[in-house]
Amino acid sequence: MTGEMRELQEAIDKYDNIVFFGGAGVSTESGIPDFRSVDGLYNQKYDYPPETILSHGFFMDKTEEFYRFYQDKMLCDTAEPNAAHLKLAELEKAGKLKAVITQNIDNLHQMAGSENVLELHGSVHRNYCMKCGKFYGFTYMKESRGVPRCEVCQGTIKPDVVLYGEGLDNDTINKSVQAISDAQVLIIGGTSLAVYPAAGLIDYFRGEKLIVINKAPTPRDRQADLVITQPIGEVFSQIRI
């Protein structure tokens, strides 16, 4: 075990109010593409950049084109939780981890067994008719062709995900702020901390130890007590509980 891993293990052994704040890098090892990585969605060729397609205005104005991209690139039904997801669930069950705050929309934390998951950007597993509010799950959206329509009223179904230009859910923000404010240890993992307002939640941390685990540098590295520049799944697979 390296010195960095020993330090991480010591923090996990010592503290029992740990919060994890994660992003796309947590899921790339499960086969879900990261928007900003070298081979991520931002570096592929489309008629519009993903940031434009995944915006509220584009969804409203070009709904069919939105869904061509969304159903092709955002609905991954083959991904399985990796070592990071599984270890976080174990840490929660052991009473160490109090919350997972995620920018991901893939439901992998819940699939791994985590219960207190705060989804800042929503989930592809929740979808609602914009007209009558009827709920639709992942499978319905995956199997739909063209613009998904409500079986009851024929209204357009919208994913419960935060598109660019939309605000975050206030209840989720408040719970995330509370969890980060109360934490003794905050582990930031698999995120470039480039997406606001989500990344700004880190400012509420007043605890003992700030740990960053990310393959690339982040804006918080200088403030961190420990920085590990390794794939997060590899790091978490070495943690003992």
Side-chain angles (χ1 to χ4, degrees), residues 118-152:
L118 298 168
E119 296 172 310
L120 294 173
H121 296 152
S123 172
V124 296
H125 287 255
R126 296 189 301 270
N127 308 272
Y128 298 94
C129 172
M130 296 175 70
K131 191 173 177 181
C132 73
K134 180 176 169 60
F135 171 86
Y136 290 90
F138 179 93
T139 302
Y140 187 88
M141 302 298 281
K142 183 72 175 177
E143 293 177 351
S144 294
R145 294 293 174 264
V147 177
R149 299 287 181 184
C150 178
E151 296 173 324
V152 175

Side-chain angles (χ1 to χ4, degrees), residues 20-30 32-37 82 84-85 88 100-109 117-121 186-195 198-199 202 211-215 218 231-233 236:
F20 179 80
F21 182 96
V26 180
S27 293
T28 51
E29 290 171 63
S30 294
I32 293 178
D34 177 359
F35 273 37
R36 290 169 178 80
S37 65
N82 61 53
H85 299 105
L88 286 165
V100 169
I101 302 169
T102 181
Q103 299 172 82
N104 297 337
I105 58 175
D106 51 40
N107 204 51
L108 289 177
H109 286 293
V117 181
L118 298 168
E119 296 172 310
L120 294 173
H121 296 152
L186 178 61
I187 302 175
I188 300 170
T191 174
S192 60
L193 294 174
V195 177
I202 307 305
I211 299 169
V212 175
I213 306 169
N214 199 55
K215 290 193 290 185
T218 81
I232 192 163
F236 271 82

Side-chain angles (χ1 to χ4, degrees), residues 20-173:
F20 179 80
F21 182 96
V26 180
S27 293
T28 51
E29 290 171 63
S30 294
I32 293 178
D34 177 359
F35 273 37
R36 290 169 178 80
S37 65
V38 173
D39 56 351
L41 295 179
Y42 273 95
N43 292 284
Q44 298 178 23
K45 302 297 182 184
Y46 300 100
D47 291 340
Y48 300 88
E51 193 170 54
T52 298
I53 298 172
L54 297 173
S55 68
H56 177 81
F58 196 94
F59 173 82
M60 298 301 292
D61 296 339
K62 296 182 171 65
T63 311
E64 192 166 346
E65 203 153 348
F66 169 90
Y67 269 115
R68 270 201 296 271
F69 176 89
Y70 182 82
Q71 289 163 337
D72 183 37
K73 295 297 181 184
M74 306 302 291
L75 297 180
C76 177
D77 56 1
T78 58
E80 298 286 343
N82 61 53
H85 299 105
L86 296 169
K87 192 67 69 171
L88 286 165
E90 287 182 45
L91 287 167
E92 182 183 312
K93 286 181 175 63
K96 292 283 187 179
L97 187 77
K98 301 307 180 188
V100 169
I101 302 169
T102 181
Q103 299 172 82
N104 297 337
I105 58 175
D106 51 40
N107 204 51
L108 289 177
H109 286 293
Q110 291 92 331
M111 288 170 64
S114 290
E115 295 183 6
N116 191 18
V117 181
L118 298 168
E119 296 172 310
L120 294 173
H121 296 152
S123 172
V124 296
H125 287 255
R126 296 189 301 270
N127 308 272
Y128 298 94
C129 172
M130 296 175 70
K131 191 173 177 181
C132 73
K134 180 176 169 60
F135 171 86
Y136 290 90
F138 179 93
T139 302
Y140 187 88
M141 302 298 281
K142 183 72 175 177
E143 293 177 351
S144 294
R145 294 293 174 264
V147 177
R149 299 287 181 184
C150 178
E151 296 173 324
V152 175
C153 70
Q154 291 303 302
T156 300
I157 301 171
K158 183 180 183 296
D160 186 19
V161 299
V162 179
L163 301 175
Y164 290 100
E166 296 179 341
L168 304 189
D169 177 70
N170 282 331
D171 185 52
T172 304
I173 291 175

